[in-house]
Amino acid sequence: MALLVLSGPSGCGKSSLVNEVLKENDDIYFSISTTTRNPREGEKEGKDYYYISKEQFQKEIAEGLFLEWAEVHGNYYGTSIKPIEDALKNGKLVIFDIDVQGHKIVKKRYASIMTSLFITTPNQNILKERLINRATDKIETIENRLINAKSEMARIGEYDYLLVNDDFKLSLESFESIVKVARLKQTKEKIEQFRVGW
Ligand code: 5GP
């Protein structure tokens, strides 16, 4: 029962790292967010996101269904509470890919069992190149994502770890280590329970 929050600019390689780790581990639950943005080419409903309308999203906010939600690049993104709590009850490591606003909220609620990691590219030019090569966004959207990336970078200091994704293979090794460490995080109560029963 632990949480690992990942943040970082779109295009920094978070999804590729997570997908590799998910292939090897069945005790990880990857939190699938709900969004009002349109699916990108190749994205699938229920695998990458749950895609809903702005009206439906606002209704779910009002019903208190989100653990956290935020407006990013003009769209809503949010994490539903129920699947997270179920996965934690089942002893899974829950991995989130959420922005800096979401990180702050999740940290308030779960600090004692949470680890956080900020992932980024070595510099802005490489991020721009990756977004252009990915060819899933219009140039205005890319410019918007780069501006957002700069403001997110200002909050790197709020995270436990920083991973600069330059060489994918090396980054994957570091990411796997962070996943292992995140699983070991225990609440003070659990440690105390262990001590008493020892
Ligand atoms: P993208 O459109 O590239 O998939 O995601 C844009 C940004 O939204 C990324 O920074 C991603 O981490 C963030 N994001 C995705 N899902 C959530 C969510 O459920 N909550 C929050 N707060 N941010 C999210």
Side-chain angles (χ1 to χ4, degrees), residues 6-11 14 31-35 37 40 43 49 68-73 77-80 97-103 134 145 148 152:
L6 311 178
S7 299
S10 307
K14 278 172 295 182
S31 168
I32 299 161
S33 299
T34 300
T35 183
R37 86 150 159 74
R40 289 192 193 114
E43 286 186 348
Y49 282 105
E68 63 77 34
W69 62 272
E71 205 173 336
V72 188
H73 318 131
Y77 293 81
T79 311
S80 302
D97 170 355
I98 55 179
D99 83 325
V100 292
Q101 307 169 74
H103 164 243
R134 188 163 82 174
R145 288 183 185 278
N148 199 54
E152 288 218 305

